[in-house]
Structures are given as structure tokens and as C-alpha cells.
């Protein structure tokens, strides 16, 4: 089941990457930061959200410039999408940690990986279940923040490094989806029950996931515009 669900999400991510940036450009070009945050909330994979943010960034900047002559600085919508997705990941990680503790304390599913009848949660159990990617996010943020505060000159160098890394990110992301497409046996997944999951996920996505994400993005970013290039 996890494999089938992952395959469904990847398929929907590919579709969202084609549709949502166009939709955001057509209807949210006057609220570019809302559009960027929406990509981070609506597109389910990290790579897909970042890629959608980059596409939306380019399309909205081009549309606004052609219609009004206003030129936004590059990367602000992409940064908004990325930041939103990172905070979602941290939020999920924290709740996964809390639920893992509850799982152990109340001895849930003892016959299939649950803890012993002892309600005391050991440090090893916490460490085994703790989502360790949260540590990576936190350490990276703190190191870069402290480094930048102590030496402002590295900011320019960091931006150059980011620009160089973006090229590799784009290539590797394209190779990732291409490889997934090559190895995915859709017929086998469909026989295993993929059709029902697709139907349920489609209803959930178009019934409330997209629109709740859009509403939250509007609440937090309505009226905020990227800096312009004079």
C-alpha cells in the first residue's frame, strides 16, 4: 500500500506541476506571493513544490512585466514555495514524533511493532522513531543564520553557490521523474488497487486540499509583493 500511494502522489505531482503554475499565472498574477505559497501547500512532494514554485516565479514575472512593465526580482515566489514546504515538513516531523511517543506509551499495535507493556518510553525508542530529517533542517538553518550574522560578506558568495546548485537541482529533478517513469509498472499498480486510491485522492485534492491551501496562502500573503527592479 505505501508503494501504491507513493506512486499515486508522484503521478499527481507531475500533473500539478503542469496545471497549477498556469492556473496561478492566470488568476493570481496580482498576488504573486500567494501563488508561491500555494505551490508549497498544494504540491505534495518537496521537489515538485520547489519546481512548481520556480515555474510559477518565471511565468508570473513574465506576465506582469509584459502587461504592466513592472519587473519583480527573481526568486521570491520560489523562496516562498520552498519555505512553506520546509515548514510543512517540520510540522509533520514534530507531529510524527508526538504520535510515536503516544504509540509507545499506550502500547498500540503490540503484535506488529508496538512497544512492550511497560509504559515508560526509553531514549532509544524515541531516537529510533524520531524523524531525523528535522535535525538536518534545524542545524542547516542555525549554521547559515549564525554564519551570516557573523560575516555578512558570505551572503553574496552563498547566492552564487545557490545559483550554481540550482542548475544541478533542475537536472537531477528531471532525471528523478524520468527514472520513476521508466521503472513504474502502472498495470501492476492498477491491479493492486491503485484505481481506488486515485479516485479517493482525486476527490480529496479537488474538493478541499487545493482550496484550503489557497485560502491559507491568501490569509498569510495577501497584499505582499516581491521587490521590483528599477
Amino acid at each position: 500500500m505505501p508503494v501504491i500511494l507513493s506512486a499515486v502522489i508522484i503521478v499527481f505531482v507531475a500533473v500539478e506541476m503542469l496545471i497549477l503554475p498556469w492556473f496561478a499565472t492566470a488568476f493570481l498574477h496580482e498576488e504573486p506571493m500567494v501563488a508561491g505559497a500555494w505551490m508549497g501547500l498544494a504540491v505534495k512532494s518537496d521537489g515538485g513544490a520547489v519546481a512548481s514554485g520556480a515555474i510559477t516565479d518565471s511565468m508570473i514575472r513574465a506576465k506582469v512585466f509584459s502587461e504592466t512593465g513592472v519587473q519583480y526580482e527573481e526568486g521570491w515566489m520560489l523562496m516562498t514555495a520552498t519555505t512553506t514546504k520546509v515548514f510543512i515538513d517540520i510540522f509533520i516531523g514534530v507531529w510524527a514524533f508526538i504520535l510515536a511517543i503516544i504509540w509507545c506509551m499506550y502500547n498500540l499495535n503490540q503484535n506488529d511493532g508496538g512497544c512492550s507493556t511497560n509504559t515508560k518510553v526509553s531514549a532509544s525508542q524515541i531516537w529510533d522513531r524520531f524523524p531525523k530529517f528535522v535535525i538536518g533542517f534545524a542545524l542547516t538553518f542555525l549554521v547559515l543564520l549564525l554564519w551570516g550574522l557573523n560575516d555578512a560578506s558570505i551572503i553574496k558568495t552563498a547566492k552564487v553557490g545557490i545559483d550554481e546548485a540550482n542548475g544541478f537541482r533542475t537536472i537531477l529533478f528531471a532525471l528523478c521523474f524520468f527514472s520513476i517513469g521508466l521503472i513504474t509498472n502502472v498495470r501492476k499498480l492498477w491491479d493492486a488497487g491503485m484505481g481506488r486510491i486515485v479516485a479517493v485522492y482525486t476527490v480529496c485534492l479537488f474538493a478541499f486540499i487545493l482550496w484550503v491551501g489557497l485560502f491559507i496562502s491568501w490569509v498569510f500573503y495577501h497584499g505582499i509583493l516581491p521587490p521590483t527592479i528599477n
Side-chain angles (χ1 to χ4, degrees), residues 158-173:
K159 289 182 178 179
V160 174
I162 291 172
D163 291 338
E164 294 293 332
N166 280 338
F168 288 103
R169 175 181 58 80
T170 302
I171 295 172
L172 293 175
F173 184 78

Side-chain angles (χ1 to χ4, degrees), residues 30-49:
E30 295 182 355
E31 295 288 346
M33 302 298 279
V34 173
W38 190 37
M39 296 303 106
L41 286 170
V43 183
K44 289 297 163 275
S45 76
D46 290 3

Side-chain angles (χ1 to χ4, degrees), residues 4 7-8 11 185-186 188-199:
I4 298 175
V8 170
V11 171
N185 189 334
V186 178
K188 185 176 180 179
L189 292 173
W190 196 270
D191 293 339
M194 181 178 178
R196 293 189 297 272
I197 297 178
V198 168

